[in-house]
Amino acid sequence: DVKVTQSSRYLVKRTGEKVFLECVQDMDHENMFWYRQDPGLGLRLIYFSYDVKMKEKGDIPEGYSVSREKKERFSLILESASTNQTSMYLCATGRIRTDTQYFGPGTRLTVL
Amino acid sequence: EDQVTQSPEALRLQEGESSSLNCSYTVSGLRGLFWYRQDPGKGPEFLFTLYSAGEEKEKERLKATLTKKESFLHITAPKPEDSATYLCAVVGGYGQNFVFGPGTRLSVLP
């Protein structure tokens, strides 16, 4: 079974703080993805990575950056958190970009 | 532009009352259609991948089918534990990202 883990289930941060969300997968998949999920807006792609140190912007990259130093780890960074980044953040992994993605449990981030 | 719509938005069933959820899509060069189940506060759980029109997949009480314009998720004799939001997603040609639908919120009452 594919296992995708995320560093925190719940996180509360203050406006202006730097926030790190980490995702780890154990399936040796090339591709890893970060989404955010908001009521009424569905899942939206923030960034994805197709190899170590390689990344591409998704649909809503503004205010976020990512890091992939090892194949199994993909980090999402909020350089200066803002209240409009309060959301559910979901990491996913996939063998190829256009095939099945497997999701982690999610991190519910609240920015006060 | 690739689009996915799902209907109904919400569905309430009595235990044992079979029904179907719809996912309609517009995509150029479908590479795959995916069904997920999502429980409140959790990440989506993969159910099925369908690649071409006419394909069907089954798992316990769930059966997914695919045509050139839509997919159905049939739920036979549902149980309360089938209550969840069901998400549909599609991916098109080379270099395309997943496009997710808004989901159908299913409640199965005992």
Side-chain angles (χ1 to χ4, degrees), chain B residues 22-62:
Chain B
N22 176 266
C23 170
S24 295
Y25 63 90
T26 304
V27 65
S28 53
L30 180 73
R31 298 288 293 271
L33 184 141
F34 311 87
W35 282 100
Y36 292 87
R37 169 199 169 118
Q38 187 174 26
D39 293 307
K42 296 187 177 180
E45 176 190 343
F46 169 69
L47 293 174
F48 303 111
T49 301
L50 301 167
Y51 295 104
S52 57
E55 192 174 358
E56 298 182 353
K57 295 233 175 121
E58 282 189 74
K59 179 181 178 181
E60 296 180 356
R61 296 178 292 282
L62 300 177

Short mmCIF file of all heavy atoms in Angstrom, two decimals, chain B residues 22-62:
data_model
loop_
_atom_site.label_atom_id
_atom_site.label_comp_id
_atom_site.label_asym_id
_atom_site.label_seq_id
_atom_site.Cartn_x
_atom_site.Cartn_y
_atom_site.Cartn_z
N ASN B 22 -23.13 11.19 -10.34
CA ASN B 22 -22.70 11.52 -11.69
C ASN B 22 -21.49 12.44 -11.70
O ASN B 22 -21.38 13.35 -10.87
CB ASN B 22 -23.85 12.18 -12.44
CG ASN B 22 -23.44 12.63 -13.83
OD1 ASN B 22 -23.05 13.78 -14.03
ND2 ASN B 22 -23.50 11.72 -14.78
N CYS B 23 -20.59 12.21 -12.64
CA CYS B 23 -19.45 13.10 -12.87
C CYS B 23 -19.42 13.38 -14.37
O CYS B 23 -19.18 12.46 -15.17
CB CYS B 23 -18.16 12.41 -12.42
SG CYS B 23 -16.65 13.27 -12.93
N SER B 24 -19.67 14.62 -14.75
CA SER B 24 -19.62 15.01 -16.16
C SER B 24 -18.35 15.81 -16.40
O SER B 24 -17.97 16.65 -15.59
CB SER B 24 -20.83 15.87 -16.52
OG SER B 24 -22.01 15.12 -16.41
N TYR B 25 -17.70 15.55 -17.53
CA TYR B 25 -16.42 16.20 -17.75
C TYR B 25 -16.27 16.71 -19.17
O TYR B 25 -16.88 16.19 -20.11
CB TYR B 25 -15.27 15.23 -17.41
CG TYR B 25 -15.20 14.01 -18.28
CD1 TYR B 25 -14.46 14.01 -19.46
CD2 TYR B 25 -15.89 12.85 -17.94
CE1 TYR B 25 -14.40 12.88 -20.26
CE2 TYR B 25 -15.83 11.72 -18.74
CZ TYR B 25 -15.09 11.74 -19.89
OH TYR B 25 -15.03 10.62 -20.69
N THR B 26 -15.43 17.73 -19.29
CA THR B 26 -15.01 18.23 -20.59
C THR B 26 -13.50 18.30 -20.54
O THR B 26 -12.93 19.03 -19.72
CB THR B 26 -15.57 19.64 -20.86
OG1 THR B 26 -16.99 19.62 -20.75
CG2 THR B 26 -15.17 20.13 -22.25
N VAL B 27 -12.83 17.51 -21.35
CA VAL B 27 -11.38 17.48 -21.35
C VAL B 27 -10.91 17.10 -22.74
O VAL B 27 -11.54 16.29 -23.42
CB VAL B 27 -10.85 16.49 -20.28
CG1 VAL B 27 -11.23 15.06 -20.61
CG2 VAL B 27 -9.35 16.62 -20.11
N SER B 28 -9.80 17.66 -23.15
CA SER B 28 -9.24 17.29 -24.45
C SER B 28 -8.27 16.15 -24.25
O SER B 28 -7.28 16.27 -23.54
CB SER B 28 -8.54 18.49 -25.07
OG SER B 28 -7.60 19.04 -24.17
N GLY B 29 -8.58 15.02 -24.85
CA GLY B 29 -7.69 13.87 -24.76
C GLY B 29 -7.63 13.27 -23.37
O GLY B 29 -6.60 13.33 -22.70
N LEU B 30 -8.70 12.66 -22.95
CA LEU B 30 -8.76 12.09 -21.59
C LEU B 30 -7.68 11.05 -21.40
O LEU B 30 -7.56 10.09 -22.16
CB LEU B 30 -10.14 11.46 -21.35
CG LEU B 30 -10.34 10.83 -19.97
CD1 LEU B 30 -10.48 11.91 -18.91
CD2 LEU B 30 -11.56 9.91 -19.97
N ARG B 31 -6.87 11.25 -20.35
CA ARG B 31 -5.85 10.25 -19.99
C ARG B 31 -6.33 9.36 -18.86
O ARG B 31 -5.87 8.22 -18.72
CB ARG B 31 -4.55 10.95 -19.57
CG ARG B 31 -3.92 11.79 -20.66
CD ARG B 31 -3.31 10.94 -21.74
NE ARG B 31 -2.17 10.19 -21.28
CZ ARG B 31 -0.92 10.64 -21.31
NH1 ARG B 31 -0.66 11.83 -21.77
NH2 ARG B 31 0.07 9.87 -20.88
N GLY B 32 -7.24 9.91 -18.03
CA GLY B 32 -7.75 9.10 -16.93
C GLY B 32 -8.82 9.85 -16.16
O GLY B 32 -8.83 11.08 -16.13
N LEU B 33 -9.75 9.08 -15.58
CA LEU B 33 -10.77 9.63 -14.69
C LEU B 33 -10.67 8.89 -13.38
O LEU B 33 -10.54 7.65 -13.36
CB LEU B 33 -12.17 9.48 -15.30
CG LEU B 33 -13.30 10.11 -14.49
CD1 LEU B 33 -14.33 10.77 -15.39
CD2 LEU B 33 -13.95 9.15 -13.53
N PHE B 34 -10.71 9.63 -12.28
CA PHE B 34 -10.40 9.07 -10.96
C PHE B 34 -11.54 9.36 -10.00
O PHE B 34 -12.07 10.46 -9.96
CB PHE B 34 -9.11 9.69 -10.42
CG PHE B 34 -7.98 9.67 -11.42
CD1 PHE B 34 -7.84 10.71 -12.33
CD2 PHE B 34 -7.10 8.61 -11.47
CE1 PHE B 34 -6.82 10.69 -13.27
CE2 PHE B 34 -6.08 8.58 -12.41
CZ PHE B 34 -5.95 9.62 -13.31
N TRP B 35 -11.88 8.36 -9.19
CA TRP B 35 -12.83 8.54 -8.10
C TRP B 35 -12.12 8.39 -6.77
O TRP B 35 -11.31 7.48 -6.58
CB TRP B 35 -13.95 7.50 -8.20
CG TRP B 35 -14.99 7.78 -9.23
CD1 TRP B 35 -15.09 7.25 -10.47
CD2 TRP B 35 -16.11 8.67 -9.09
NE1 TRP B 35 -16.20 7.76 -11.13
CE2 TRP B 35 -16.84 8.62 -10.29
CE3 TRP B 35 -16.59 9.49 -8.06
CZ2 TRP B 35 -18.00 9.35 -10.50
CZ3 TRP B 35 -17.74 10.22 -8.26
CH2 TRP B 35 -18.45 10.15 -9.47
N TYR B 36 -12.48 9.31 -5.87
CA TYR B 36 -11.94 9.29 -4.51
C TYR B 36 -13.09 9.40 -3.52
O TYR B 36 -14.11 10.02 -3.81
CB TYR B 36 -10.99 10.47 -4.27
CG TYR B 36 -9.70 10.43 -5.05
CD1 TYR B 36 -9.62 10.95 -6.33
CD2 TYR B 36 -8.55 9.88 -4.48
CE1 TYR B 36 -8.43 10.92 -7.04
CE2 TYR B 36 -7.35 9.84 -5.19
CZ TYR B 36 -7.30 10.37 -6.46
OH TYR B 36 -6.12 10.33 -7.16
N ARG B 37 -12.84 8.89 -2.33
CA ARG B 37 -13.76 9.05 -1.21
C ARG B 37 -13.03 9.91 -0.17
O ARG B 37 -11.84 9.69 0.10
CB ARG B 37 -14.07 7.68 -0.62
CG ARG B 37 -14.79 7.74 0.70
CD ARG B 37 -14.69 6.45 1.48
NE ARG B 37 -15.18 6.67 2.83
CZ ARG B 37 -16.23 6.05 3.35
NH1 ARG B 37 -16.87 5.11 2.64
NH2 ARG B 37 -16.63 6.30 4.59
N GLN B 38 -13.73 10.89 0.40
CA GLN B 38 -13.12 11.73 1.40
C GLN B 38 -14.01 11.84 2.63
O GLN B 38 -15.16 12.29 2.53
CB GLN B 38 -12.81 13.13 0.86
CG GLN B 38 -12.02 13.99 1.83
CD GLN B 38 -11.59 15.32 1.24
OE1 GLN B 38 -12.22 15.85 0.33
NE2 GLN B 38 -10.50 15.88 1.76
N ASP B 39 -13.48 11.44 3.76
CA ASP B 39 -14.19 11.59 5.03
C ASP B 39 -13.85 12.96 5.61
O ASP B 39 -12.77 13.51 5.34
CB ASP B 39 -13.78 10.48 6.00
CG ASP B 39 -14.27 9.13 5.53
OD1 ASP B 39 -15.48 9.00 5.25
OD2 ASP B 39 -13.45 8.20 5.39
N PRO B 40 -14.73 13.52 6.44
CA PRO B 40 -14.50 14.88 6.98
C PRO B 40 -13.15 15.00 7.69
O PRO B 40 -12.79 14.15 8.51
CB PRO B 40 -15.66 15.06 7.96
CG PRO B 40 -16.73 14.17 7.44
CD PRO B 40 -16.03 12.98 6.86
N GLY B 41 -12.39 16.02 7.34
CA GLY B 41 -11.12 16.29 8.00
C GLY B 41 -9.98 15.38 7.59
O GLY B 41 -8.91 15.41 8.20
N LYS B 42 -10.20 14.56 6.54
CA LYS B 42 -9.16 13.62 6.11
C LYS B 42 -8.83 13.82 4.63
O LYS B 42 -9.54 14.52 3.91
CB LYS B 42 -9.62 12.18 6.35
CG LYS B 42 -9.83 11.86 7.83
CD LYS B 42 -10.11 10.40 8.03
CE LYS B 42 -10.23 10.08 9.53
NZ LYS B 42 -10.51 8.63 9.76
N GLY B 43 -7.73 13.21 4.21
CA GLY B 43 -7.35 13.28 2.81
C GLY B 43 -8.18 12.35 1.95
O GLY B 43 -8.72 11.35 2.44
N PRO B 44 -8.30 12.64 0.65
CA PRO B 44 -9.05 11.75 -0.25
C PRO B 44 -8.41 10.36 -0.31
O PRO B 44 -7.18 10.24 -0.37
CB PRO B 44 -8.94 12.46 -1.60
CG PRO B 44 -8.68 13.90 -1.27
CD PRO B 44 -7.86 13.86 -0.04
N GLU B 45 -9.26 9.36 -0.33
CA GLU B 45 -8.84 7.97 -0.43
C GLU B 45 -9.16 7.46 -1.82
O GLU B 45 -10.30 7.55 -2.28
CB GLU B 45 -9.58 7.13 0.61
CG GLU B 45 -9.31 5.64 0.55
CD GLU B 45 -10.25 4.86 1.46
OE1 GLU B 45 -10.86 5.46 2.35
OE2 GLU B 45 -10.38 3.64 1.24
N PHE B 46 -8.16 6.92 -2.50
CA PHE B 46 -8.34 6.47 -3.88
C PHE B 46 -9.31 5.30 -3.96
O PHE B 46 -9.24 4.36 -3.17
CB PHE B 46 -6.99 6.07 -4.47
CG PHE B 46 -7.08 5.35 -5.78
CD1 PHE B 46 -7.49 6.01 -6.92
CD2 PHE B 46 -6.79 4.00 -5.86
CE1 PHE B 46 -7.60 5.35 -8.13
CE2 PHE B 46 -6.88 3.32 -7.07
CZ PHE B 46 -7.29 4.00 -8.20
N LEU B 47 -10.22 5.38 -4.94
CA LEU B 47 -11.16 4.28 -5.19
C LEU B 47 -10.88 3.61 -6.54
O LEU B 47 -10.62 2.41 -6.59
CB LEU B 47 -12.60 4.80 -5.18
CG LEU B 47 -13.15 5.31 -3.85
CD1 LEU B 47 -14.53 5.93 -4.04
CD2 LEU B 47 -13.20 4.17 -2.83
N PHE B 48 -11.01 4.37 -7.64
CA PHE B 48 -10.91 3.78 -8.97
C PHE B 48 -10.20 4.73 -9.94
O PHE B 48 -10.29 5.94 -9.82
CB PHE B 48 -12.32 3.55 -9.57
CG PHE B 48 -13.23 2.68 -8.76
CD1 PHE B 48 -14.33 3.23 -8.12
CD2 PHE B 48 -13.00 1.32 -8.63
CE1 PHE B 48 -15.18 2.43 -7.36
CE2 PHE B 48 -13.84 0.52 -7.89
CZ PHE B 48 -14.93 1.07 -7.25
N THR B 49 -9.57 4.12 -10.96
CA THR B 49 -9.11 4.83 -12.13
C THR B 49 -9.74 4.18 -13.35
O THR B 49 -9.73 2.95 -13.48
CB THR B 49 -7.58 4.77 -12.28
OG1 THR B 49 -6.97 5.34 -11.12
CG2 THR B 49 -7.15 5.57 -13.51
N LEU B 50 -10.31 5.00 -14.24
CA LEU B 50 -10.88 4.53 -15.50
C LEU B 50 -10.15 5.24 -16.62
O LEU B 50 -9.92 6.45 -16.56
CB LEU B 50 -12.39 4.85 -15.55
CG LEU B 50 -13.23 4.24 -14.42
CD1 LEU B 50 -14.61 4.86 -14.40
CD2 LEU B 50 -13.35 2.73 -14.60
N TYR B 51 -9.82 4.49 -17.68
CA TYR B 51 -8.98 5.05 -18.73
C TYR B 51 -9.72 5.26 -20.06
O TYR B 51 -9.32 6.13 -20.84
CB TYR B 51 -7.76 4.17 -18.97
CG TYR B 51 -6.81 4.10 -17.81
CD1 TYR B 51 -6.76 2.98 -16.98
CD2 TYR B 51 -5.96 5.16 -17.51
CE1 TYR B 51 -5.89 2.92 -15.91
CE2 TYR B 51 -5.08 5.11 -16.45
CZ TYR B 51 -5.05 3.98 -15.65
OH TYR B 51 -4.17 3.92 -14.59
N SER B 52 -10.73 4.44 -20.33
CA SER B 52 -11.38 4.56 -21.64
C SER B 52 -12.87 4.27 -21.52
O SER B 52 -13.31 3.53 -20.62
CB SER B 52 -10.72 3.63 -22.64
OG SER B 52 -10.75 2.30 -22.20
N ALA B 53 -13.64 4.85 -22.46
CA ALA B 53 -15.08 4.67 -22.49
C ALA B 53 -15.43 3.19 -22.55
O ALA B 53 -14.81 2.42 -23.28
CB ALA B 53 -15.68 5.42 -23.68
N GLY B 54 -16.41 2.81 -21.75
CA GLY B 54 -16.84 1.42 -21.69
C GLY B 54 -16.21 0.65 -20.53
O GLY B 54 -16.66 -0.44 -20.19
N GLU B 55 -15.21 1.24 -19.93
CA GLU B 55 -14.53 0.55 -18.83
C GLU B 55 -15.38 0.60 -17.57
O GLU B 55 -16.08 1.59 -17.31
CB GLU B 55 -13.18 1.21 -18.58
CG GLU B 55 -12.26 0.43 -17.66
CD GLU B 55 -10.88 1.05 -17.57
OE1 GLU B 55 -10.63 2.08 -18.24
OE2 GLU B 55 -10.05 0.52 -16.82
N GLU B 56 -15.33 -0.47 -16.77
CA GLU B 56 -16.04 -0.53 -15.50
C GLU B 56 -15.10 -1.12 -14.45
O GLU B 56 -14.27 -1.99 -14.76
CB GLU B 56 -17.27 -1.44 -15.61
CG GLU B 56 -18.31 -0.96 -16.59
CD GLU B 56 -19.54 -1.86 -16.62
OE1 GLU B 56 -19.54 -2.93 -15.98
OE2 GLU B 56 -20.52 -1.47 -17.29
N LYS B 57 -15.25 -0.65 -13.21
CA LYS B 57 -14.46 -1.20 -12.10
C LYS B 57 -15.39 -1.33 -10.89
O LYS B 57 -16.28 -0.52 -10.68
CB LYS B 57 -13.28 -0.28 -11.76
CG LYS B 57 -12.27 -0.17 -12.89
CD LYS B 57 -10.88 -0.49 -12.42
CE LYS B 57 -9.90 -0.50 -13.57
NZ LYS B 57 -8.82 0.47 -13.41
N GLU B 58 -15.15 -2.37 -10.09
CA GLU B 58 -15.99 -2.62 -8.93
C GLU B 58 -15.15 -2.84 -7.69
O GLU B 58 -14.03 -3.38 -7.76
CB GLU B 58 -16.83 -3.90 -9.15
CG GLU B 58 -18.02 -3.72 -10.03
CD GLU B 58 -18.92 -4.96 -10.02
OE1 GLU B 58 -19.63 -5.18 -9.02
OE2 GLU B 58 -18.91 -5.66 -11.03
N LYS B 59 -15.73 -2.42 -6.57
CA LYS B 59 -15.10 -2.66 -5.28
C LYS B 59 -16.19 -2.69 -4.23
O LYS B 59 -16.83 -1.66 -3.97
CB LYS B 59 -14.09 -1.56 -4.97
CG LYS B 59 -13.38 -1.70 -3.64
CD LYS B 59 -12.41 -0.50 -3.46
CE LYS B 59 -11.71 -0.57 -2.12
NZ LYS B 59 -10.80 0.59 -1.93
N GLU B 60 -16.43 -3.83 -3.67
CA GLU B 60 -17.48 -4.03 -2.67
C GLU B 60 -18.81 -3.50 -3.20
O GLU B 60 -19.31 -3.99 -4.21
CB GLU B 60 -17.08 -3.36 -1.36
CG GLU B 60 -15.83 -3.98 -0.73
CD GLU B 60 -15.42 -3.32 0.57
OE1 GLU B 60 -16.03 -2.32 0.98
OE2 GLU B 60 -14.47 -3.82 1.19
N ARG B 61 -19.41 -2.50 -2.59
CA ARG B 61 -20.72 -2.00 -2.99
C ARG B 61 -20.63 -0.91 -4.07
O ARG B 61 -21.66 -0.36 -4.49
CB ARG B 61 -21.46 -1.44 -1.77
CG ARG B 61 -21.78 -2.50 -0.73
CD ARG B 61 -22.46 -1.89 0.47
NE ARG B 61 -21.57 -1.01 1.23
CZ ARG B 61 -20.64 -1.45 2.07
NH1 ARG B 61 -20.47 -2.74 2.26
NH2 ARG B 61 -19.87 -0.59 2.73
N LEU B 62 -19.45 -0.59 -4.53
CA LEU B 62 -19.24 0.49 -5.48
C LEU B 62 -18.88 -0.05 -6.86
O LEU B 62 -18.10 -1.00 -6.97
CB LEU B 62 -18.12 1.41 -5.00
CG LEU B 62 -18.32 2.10 -3.66
CD1 LEU B 62 -17.08 2.92 -3.31
CD2 LEU B 62 -19.55 2.99 -3.68
#
